[in-house]
Amino acid sequence: MSEDCLFCSIVSGDIPATIVHETDEVLAFRDLNPQAPTHVLVIPKAHYANAAELAEAEPSSAASLLTAAKEVAVLEGIAKSGYRLVFNTGKDGQQTVFHVHCHVLGGRAMVWPPG
Ligand code: 5GP
Ligand code: ZN
């Protein structure tokens, strides 16, 4: 739990979110500003600033995050049609919330390169 962290406040229930999947370790909820028909954020409940910090400090949680992302794709009905997992990291990655989150995007064809 980190003070003044938006996603820690979602984990604690202080800020509401539409939760689609939850385990002891991770939480998945709908993005407030969806960029695709399915746009879900998957986060570890513990606070790490980005994917690199999570991978270094808690590799088993990083694995749980990917497992949860797969589960979200199944629950959202996009596992077969396909989807994109994104970890925006740091300034050039355009990260805006510094609690690691995996974007699960699907329900339409993605474009490449992502821009
Ligand atoms: P980033 O830009 O850091 O990769 O992604 C942050 C994401 O968090 C954005 O897609 C943004 O729409 C989403 N977001 C920002 N504030 C909130 C919020 O209060 N609730 C939810 N559910 N999503 C949020
Ligand atoms: Zn946090």
Side-chain angles (χ1 to χ4, degrees):
M1 177 79 187
S2 173
E3 295 291 324
D4 298 329
C5 170
L6 178 63
F7 289 173
C8 281
S9 298
I10 287 178
V11 171
S12 67
D14 291 336
I15 290 178
T18 305
I19 292 165
V20 299
H21 179 59
E22 182 170 12
T23 71
D24 286 349
E25 267 183 307
V26 307
L27 191 66
F29 52 93
R30 296 200 188 284
D31 196 291
L32 201 59
N33 184 22
Q35 302 301 313
T38 288
H39 189 173
V40 172
L41 302 174
V42 186
I43 67 170
K45 290 182 175 175
H47 181 92
Y48 297 96
N50 57 44
E53 283 195 12
L54 176 67
E56 195 162 303
E58 213 62 66
S60 69
S61 283
S64 299
L65 206 62
L66 286 183
T67 302
K70 179 229 80 167
E71 190 57 30
V72 166
V74 171
L75 291 169
E76 293 288 308
I78 56 172
K80 257 192 159 170
S81 52
Y83 52 95
R84 182 170 289 169
L85 303 182
V86 176
F87 289 92
N88 292 328
T89 304
K91 183 166 76 69
D92 281 358
Q94 302 282 305
Q95 185 178 4
T96 60
V97 177
F98 293 88
H99 180 133
V100 57
H101 48 282
C102 177
H103 295 259
V104 181
L105 295 148
R108 66 167 169 82
M110 298 293 130
V111 292
W112 194 264

